[in-house]
Amino acid sequence: MRRVVGVPRDYAWGSSSAIHQLMGTEPDGAPLAELWFGGHPAGPAAVDGEQEDLGQHIAADPAGTLGDDVWARFGARLPYLLKLIAPSRPLSLQVHPSIERARERFAAEDADGVPRDAPHRNYRDPNHKPELVFALTTFEAVCGFRAPRRAAELLADLDAPLAQSLHATLLADPTASGMRSAFTALLDDASRPGAQEVARVVAACEARLAAGSPSPRADRTVGLLAEAYPDDPGVVASLLLNPVTLQPGESLFVPAGGVHAYLSGLGVELMAASDNVLRAGLTTKHIDVPEMLDCVDYVAAPPMRVAPEVFHGATRMFYAPVDDFELSITTLRDHDCQDGPRPLPGRGPRVLLCLDGQVVVASTTDSVELSRGQAAFVRADDGPLTVHGTGTVVQADVP
């Protein structure tokens, strides 16, 4: 077992205090959007007391660190990336590619000589990026498309030409094809509405909200996005998407092709080890609208909330429908370990992060004590684990 130190990400949309408060560190006034605990080349965690980072540590002994099965399936790398994420303003309107498209486009950009760290590069690795968010506070997002008829109803009484045009498109074709046409009309350069058209929709949502809106959350979301990105058609696109509110302890899974934008909150995020993000709006970062639109799944579906299974009365396991990762949250109270340590479910290479309290994680040959904000990497050859103490520990592992 090795302690690891998270890598901070100071993206402009991040909170200046939320992650610091959770980790027990002193805020410095700068945004701290994410804290990475993984081996991804863009930000590998440092291994405490070693000259190597976690990616190098794994590559030096993939059989021992990952186990033969994980090594055979994913190569000599950790297949997931564990993060803390804390948006205080909306993230970009984005989607993540399938693994097949990521491999193809990554190779194409390499062949074209696009530097892997270039700001305009779309594919920074050949991997997909399905992700699971576990809310630590109330967490707001928009994710996936509404049913076309429901989106049309939402647009019907907005006194704005752009809203009426989208309404007509969805009424004429209330299918995934119609939703694609409406979404594309908002974002594609050939049909992208101007600032005044967007402003008319924002004003109509504000008026409806003041008059007693039948969809107040949707209208408030439009207002929130307009404050940050007043001229961006992505503001209007939010009316086509499902609103999501996660309460602490709830989770959301976003598959490849799932269009989404996180709005606010603090959460644990676990994803396939990738940094591939295709953006079409609500951002100052690189945008590639055609590529993003080609990756989107336009089929209407409710947000994918993952209900946990409970083990040993202390561990909630969140099984995402992917092979790259699974997440567990173990909460131990004062009396929970009176009969001895609790088994910690899971297998293979694990990353552990203590959210509060103090716990001891042990194998048959090693142990590590974790306090609030401390993290550790557990090798596959450490074998089964137990945990005791009082606190909450997050675990990422491989199914």
Side-chain angles (χ1 to χ4, degrees):
M1 300 182 191
R2 297 288 189 276
R3 293 185 186 274
V4 293
V5 181
V7 178
R9 287 288 181 259
D10 60 353
Y11 309 133
W13 48 261
S15 168
S16 62
S17 60
I19 292 177
H20 285 293
Q21 290 174 358
L22 178 68
M23 300 292 288
T25 54
E26 189 68 29
D28 59 5
L32 179 53
E34 296 179 346
L35 201 57
W36 291 19
F37 299 91
H40 192 279
V47 180
D48 192 30
E50 304 287 343
Q51 296 298 313
E52 59 190 9
D53 61 45
L54 185 54
Q56 295 166 333
H57 178 73
I58 290 170
D61 181 15
T65 55
L66 301 176
D68 290 337
D69 173 59
V70 173
W71 184 19
R73 286 192 286 152
F74 297 100
R77 62 181 181 85
L78 194 63
Y80 58 78
L81 174 58
L82 180 69
K83 300 180 181 178
L84 292 173
I85 181 170
S88 65
R89 57 180 292 185
L91 276 69
S92 57
L93 187 65
Q94 62 184 259
V95 72
H96 306 305
S98 68
I99 194 165
E100 296 80 11
R101 191 177 188 94
R103 288 170 176 168
E104 174 189 335
R105 293 292 200 255
F106 176 80
E109 288 189 313
D110 266 3
D112 289 341
V114 182
R116 293 185 181 179
D117 59 352
H120 63 283
R121 180 159 180 147
N122 287 324
Y123 293 88
R124 301 186 181 279
D125 52 68
N127 202 13
H128 64 170
K129 192 186 173 188
E131 57 193 35
L132 182 75
V133 177
F134 175 84
L136 298 176
T137 67
T138 300
F139 197 94
E140 301 283 353
V142 290
C143 184
F145 288 103
R146 298 175 185 266
R149 293 189 186 278
R150 172 57 187 141
E153 291 174 0
L154 194 60
L155 294 160
D157 64 347
L158 291 176
D159 183 19
L162 177 57
Q164 291 306 306
S165 174
L166 296 171
H167 174 257
T169 297
L170 293 173
L171 276 189
D173 185 6
T175 67
S177 177
M179 186 61 79
R180 179 176 188 138
S181 296
F183 195 63
T184 300
L186 285 171
L187 300 174
D188 190 76
D189 286 344
S191 53
R192 188 180 182 91
Q196 289 186 341
E197 294 174 278
V198 172
R200 286 282 298 273
V201 176
V202 174
C205 288
E206 290 173 347
R208 183 167 67 179
L209 186 60
S213 174
S215 300
R217 182 158 56 160
D219 291 338
R220 282 195 296 268
T221 297
V222 167
L224 174 69
L225 295 174
E227 287 181 12
Y229 305 100
D231 301 333
D232 196 312
V235 171
V236 182
S238 69
L239 293 167
L240 306 179
L241 305 177
N242 296 303
V244 180
T245 300
L246 299 178
Q247 299 301 330
E250 295 180 336
S251 67
L252 173 71
F253 176 72
V254 181
V259 61
H260 62 286
Y262 298 146
L263 306 180
S264 63
L266 173 64
V268 173
E269 192 175 23
L270 181 58
M271 61 192 62
S274 174
D275 198 27
N276 288 329
V277 182
L278 301 169
R279 305 174 183 88
L282 306 179
T283 184
T284 58
K285 293 184 178 180
H286 172 63
I287 288 176
D288 187 333
V289 173
E291 183 68 17
M292 189 268 200
L293 292 175
D294 279 349
C295 289
V296 171
D297 182 354
Y298 294 92
V299 176
M304 297 176 65
R305 298 171 182 265
V306 180
E309 294 186 29
V310 179
F311 291 83
H312 312 298
T315 298
R316 289 168 289 164
M317 294 288 298
F318 295 85
Y319 295 113
V322 292
D323 294 332
D324 310 69
F325 60 80
E326 60 190 15
L327 179 73
S328 69
I329 312 292
T330 298
T331 302
L332 298 173
R333 297 171 294 273
D334 290 339
H335 61 278
D336 283 338
C337 297
Q338 290 178 350
D339 297 327
R342 294 293 182 96
L344 195 60
R347 57 185 289 274
R350 316 188 199 192
V351 174
L352 306 175
L353 172 62
C354 183
L355 297 181
D356 61 66
Q358 190 170 29
V359 299
V360 175
V361 179
S363 69
T364 56
T365 59
D366 200 2
S367 68
V368 62
E369 184 176 296
L370 298 176
S371 300
R372 179 177 64 147
Q374 294 181 330
F377 173 71
V378 179
R379 299 165 53 100
D381 57 13
D382 280 323
L385 301 179
T386 61
V387 59
H388 70 272
T390 302
T392 302
V393 62
V394 172
Q395 175 183 266
D397 73 307
V398 184

